[in-house]
Amino acid sequence: MEGDQGTSDFTLVTRKPCFGLPTACPNCLPAYIYLKLSHLPFQLAFNSTFPDSEELPYFESGTYVAYNNEDGGVIEKLKKDGIVNLDSHLHSLPDYLSLKALILSWLDEALTYEIWVGTEGISASKIYYSDLPWVISKVLFYKQTYLAKNRLGLTKENAEGREKLIYKRASEAYEALSTRLGEHKFLFEDRPSSLDAFFLSHILFTIQVLPETSVLRCKLLEHSNLVRYAEKLKSEFLEASSSSPSPPLHSFPSSFSGKGSKPKSKPKAEKSEEEKKFKKRARFFLAAQFLAVVIYLSVMGGVSSDDLEYEDED
């Protein structure tokens, strides 16, 4: 957040910080970094009420809201609506679309595999479910793992082949991006773009969140210029700005929030409609999740986690 701004009309709502990152969610971090690269002053808020919500992150200003699950995501929505567009000069460049495909397809696929399959969810539980009751967190974890495997096209029969292909593509993507970047500060010209936001987010998450045994992390660390690139941008745009006086971080109320940032008390008139909606829905969340657990145990009773993961193939 910019130090010379006492207040801001813009708010980015993300999942909570951990692993030394302002938000450890791989979907939220690019939006945060994009706003930092654009020097747009904004407040950061956290929501842990619905850890599997596809709406997070979202960006709001007054009655305007840009959700992650609409119009290609928060960054694309901000670009389309003219709030902040770092890519207006790039669309005609020949490498733009190819590099975008590498980052948002091959590297995103590899990161999804690592989070939910390759590292067996070591980091996922802390990012998404650590504030939830144990049983509910386990059910949601198995649900998201199942969805991730479907998205990646993983089955019992093709798991080994798909894993090799995913890591092969990731390795090729790192090689291509390393060559393209060289020792430049940004991926294109001498100014940041949304691709820098996505790629920087990927590098920081891979290095700081994934365990040392991660295959993807090891492949990334083979390219020293990519690591230097991330360190420079992190120092200039994330650490430098966060060391300046800025509006305090705050957290939206959650029925499970037992730790982390506490919200500052605010007059009722200042609460956004979205915050009111979350508060209203939160009272039903425990009951709904408990019912999901009951149904899960009833239907899946006696079924192992491996059977669940490949249930659609049986």
Side-chain angles (χ1 to χ4, degrees):
M1 285 159 247
E2 305 309 313
D4 58 349
Q5 298 288 335
T7 60
S8 173
D9 292 332
F10 302 122
T11 300
L12 179 68
V13 182
T14 70
R15 292 183 174 90
K16 65 183 181 179
C18 55
F19 298 104
L21 295 172
T23 170
C25 168
N27 292 328
C28 300
L29 190 56
Y32 175 87
I33 293 176
Y34 183 77
L35 295 177
K36 286 292 187 179
L37 293 178
S38 69
H39 295 289
L40 184 75
F42 67 99
Q43 298 183 69
L44 182 62
F46 305 119
N47 185 287
S48 58
T49 305
F50 298 95
D52 57 345
S53 172
E54 295 182 354
E55 293 182 347
L56 290 171
Y58 63 85
F59 177 93
E60 62 180 0
S61 177
T63 59
Y64 174 87
V65 184
Y67 292 104
N68 177 62
N69 60 343
E70 295 178 351
D71 298 317
V74 171
I75 292 177
E76 285 302 315
K77 179 70 171 172
L78 295 181
K79 288 160 59 177
K80 290 177 183 177
D81 294 342
I83 302 228
V84 56
N85 186 356
L86 297 179
D87 298 349
S88 58
H89 63 298
L90 297 178
H91 293 286
S92 61
L93 298 181
D95 290 342
Y96 176 76
L97 292 179
S98 59
L99 291 185
K100 184 175 182 179
L102 288 179
I103 298 171
L104 300 186
S105 179
W106 287 7
L107 292 186
D108 180 68
E109 184 180 71
L111 194 59
T112 299
Y113 182 85
E114 281 284 277
I115 293 172
W116 300 103
V117 183
T119 58
E120 300 180 343
I122 293 175
S123 306
S125 295
K126 185 173 182 179
I127 295 169
Y128 297 101
Y129 310 125
S130 60
D131 293 328
L132 300 179
W134 182 84
V135 175
I136 294 176
S137 70
K138 286 297 181 184
V139 172
L140 291 178
F141 172 76
Y142 283 129
K143 171 192 170 185
Q144 292 301 320
T145 301
Y146 176 77
L147 293 175
K149 288 188 174 185
N150 278 347
R151 173 187 167 191
L152 296 170
L154 287 171
T155 66
K156 284 182 179 180
E157 290 73 21
N158 72 3
E160 184 176 352
R162 284 290 295 159
E163 177 183 356
K164 290 180 179 178
L165 179 61
I166 287 170
Y167 286 133
K168 178 177 180 293
R169 286 177 172 175
S171 183
E172 291 174 352
Y174 287 145
E175 185 66 38
L177 286 160
S178 176
T179 301
R180 176 69 177 81
L181 179 67
E183 294 301 325
H184 295 293
K185 183 175 182 179
F186 301 109
L187 288 172
F188 289 95
E189 302 174 357
D190 194 28
R191 54 192 297 184
S193 69
S194 67
L195 297 192
D196 289 294
F198 284 113
F199 192 36
L200 177 58
S201 170
H202 174 89
I203 295 176
L204 293 179
F205 187 95
T206 300
I207 292 177
Q208 295 188 214
V209 178
L210 297 183
E212 294 184 0
T213 54
S214 162
V215 175
L216 188 65
R217 187 176 188 273
C218 292
K219 289 183 178 297
L220 171 61
L221 292 178
E222 293 174 1
H223 302 278
S224 58
N225 68 323
L226 298 184
V227 177
R228 289 194 297 273
Y229 156 85
E231 289 175 344
K232 289 177 183 177
L233 294 188
K234 179 185 177 184
S235 175
E236 179 175 346
F237 290 94
L238 305 187
E239 294 176 348
S241 59
S242 62
S243 65
S244 304
S246 60
L249 303 184
H250 62 283
S251 172
F252 280 169
S254 167
S255 55
F256 303 114
S257 59
K259 47 189 172 182
S261 304
K262 295 293 182 182
K264 283 185 170 289
S265 59
K266 299 190 292 184
K268 291 184 178 180
E270 293 183 9
K271 294 181 180 178
S272 68
E273 290 301 318
E274 191 63 27
E275 184 177 354
K276 292 178 181 178
K277 182 179 76 173
F278 272 116
K279 291 185 70 176
K280 185 176 180 180
R281 290 166 60 191
R283 72 183 67 175
F284 301 107
F285 183 63
L286 270 175
Q289 293 302 323
F290 179 76
L291 180 60
V293 172
V294 173
I295 295 174
Y296 170 80
L297 295 176
S298 300
V299 176
M300 300 296 180
V303 179
S304 68
S305 61
D306 288 338
D307 292 333
L308 175 63
E309 291 165 356
Y310 296 100
E311 175 183 330
D312 60 323
E313 294 298 316
D314 293 336

